[in-house]
Amino acid sequence: MKHLKKSLLVVAGLALLTIGLAGCSSSSDNSVKSIKDKGTLVMGTSADYAPFEFPIVKDGKKTITGYDIFIAQQIAKDMGVKLKITNTEFPSLITELKNKKVDIVLAGMVSTDERKKQVAFSDSYYKVENVLLVNKADENKFGSVSALKGLQVGAQQTTTQESIAKKQIKVATTVTEANANSLTTELTQGKLAGVVLENEIADNYVKQFPEKYAIAKDVKLNTPKSQQHINVAVRKDDKKLLKQVNKTIKELKSNGKMDTFLAKAQDLQAKYGK
């Protein structure tokens, strides 16, 4: 009888411990509740990457807009809160997220294996290809990667474009800057032979400034599978927030608004970007 009582006590104790642990795990993730309590979703971005995020002046007021902004606004709307945008340089974004300065990051950010070690990523909402942006006068100058030998090629710091430039254009020297716009300015000044950019970004420069820029069609760059998808970044412990973000992304894909948002961002850049 004593042995039976001891067994029952052990079982009861384990049951209580299990319940307690379950309660802790479910209550420790306040990622959605804390945002709703403060009434604001804070988005970190780097507004130098049109049409994903870029500044415009409309009705005398400077604001940040773009494809990622529209997605973040929908995430905030679905949560019943306002969106606040924090603009910083791209290399600092993951640190800002981990230090809880922002709740999410949308900045044309690719979910690389290295970044996955630090933060969690949503489902993908955009597939990436990379190209070399050059001066209009050099549109047909580079017949291959080897034609860039001894020259300087630009890429934004800590991006997949930097990795691609260093690994696939080894014949050239890779020059990095925190801001993508700084690189394209240096390109027009003749300091760089080209800038490695995501295809949509490069296309945007060509559309906005057809007299200045072109894409080097004969310089073929390979985008590895692990560097092809743009996603929303959240902290690893914020599983409920990640679930909420994925819910919005799924809905935007199914109702066609992802395409609408991108087209809207392109139109705004065409109207206010110059």
Side-chain angles (χ1 to χ4, degrees), residues 1-237:
M1 192 65 166
K2 288 181 179 180
H3 291 298
L4 178 59
K5 285 182 178 179
K6 284 182 179 180
S7 298
L8 289 172
L9 286 170
V10 170
V11 171
L14 288 172
L16 287 170
L17 178 61
T18 302
I19 292 169
L21 289 173
C24 288
S25 62
S26 62
S27 62
S28 60
D29 182 2
N30 294 316
S31 53
V32 172
K33 184 179 184 299
S34 62
I35 291 168
K36 289 186 175 181
D37 286 347
K38 67 183 178 182
T40 305
L41 174 69
V42 183
M43 166 195 176
T45 195
S46 178
D48 59 348
Y49 214 58
F52 285 84
E53 40 271 321
F54 55 95
I56 64 170
V57 177
K58 184 178 180 182
D59 300 326
K61 183 180 179 182
K62 188 174 181 179
T63 185
I64 295 173
T65 189
Y67 184 38
D68 282 341
I69 309 303
F70 301 144
I71 294 171
Q73 285 173 340
Q74 188 63 53
I75 294 169
K77 183 178 179 181
D78 290 346
M79 296 179 72
V81 298
K82 295 179 180 179
L83 178 69
K84 178 182 177 182
I85 300 169
T86 298
N87 183 30
T88 189
E89 291 184 339
F90 189 88
S92 303
L93 285 170
I94 286 181
T95 300
E96 293 280 292
L97 179 63
K98 291 173 71 176
N99 290 341
K100 298 187 177 182
K101 300 288 183 64
V102 300
D103 300 312
I104 59 175
V105 168
L106 286 92
M109 184 172 282
V110 174
S111 55
T112 63
D113 293 338
E114 190 62 32
R115 288 174 183 151
K116 286 177 181 176
K117 294 176 184 177
Q118 301 186 69
V119 296
F121 285 98
S122 70
D123 295 336
S124 175
Y125 60 89
Y126 187 86
K127 189 173 181 180
V128 173
E129 293 180 11
N130 288 283
V131 296
L132 185 70
L133 185 73
V134 297
N135 286 311
K136 178 66 176 178
D138 296 335
E139 186 172 6
N140 301 309
K141 181 177 180 179
F142 307 111
S144 65
V145 169
S146 60
L148 295 161
K149 185 176 180 179
L151 302 177
Q152 294 193 126
V153 170
Q156 192 174 20
Q157 287 175 3
T158 72
T159 63
T160 53
Q161 286 73 37
E162 179 183 356
S163 173
I164 287 170
K166 289 181 175 179
K167 291 179 180 178
Q168 298 183 33
I169 316 180
K170 292 181 179 180
V171 296
T173 300
T174 301
V175 176
T176 62
E177 297 281 359
N179 189 295
N181 291 333
S182 298
L183 292 166
T184 55
T185 298
E186 289 176 20
L187 175 62
T188 60
Q189 292 172 344
K191 296 178 182 178
L192 301 173
V195 179
V196 178
L197 290 172
E198 192 281 319
N199 185 61
E200 190 68 46
I201 310 303
D203 279 345
N204 186 73
Y205 275 104
V206 174
K207 287 176 183 176
Q208 291 299 299
F209 307 100
E211 74 288 354
K212 288 185 178 181
Y213 301 107
I215 293 172
K217 294 185 174 67
D218 294 324
V219 178
K220 305 298 182 184
L221 300 176
N222 174 51
T223 303
K225 287 186 178 179
S226 62
Q227 298 179 10
Q228 289 182 358
H229 297 285
I230 287 177
N231 314 66
V232 181
V234 303
R235 287 180 288 275
K236 283 193 172 186
D237 290 339

Side-chain angles (χ1 to χ4, degrees), residues 71 74 248-258 261:
I71 294 171
Q74 188 63 53
T248 296
I249 289 174
K250 183 178 180 180
E251 181 65 21
L252 291 174
K253 285 180 177 179
S254 64
N255 63 20
K257 282 190 176 180
M258 278 294 185
F261 285 168

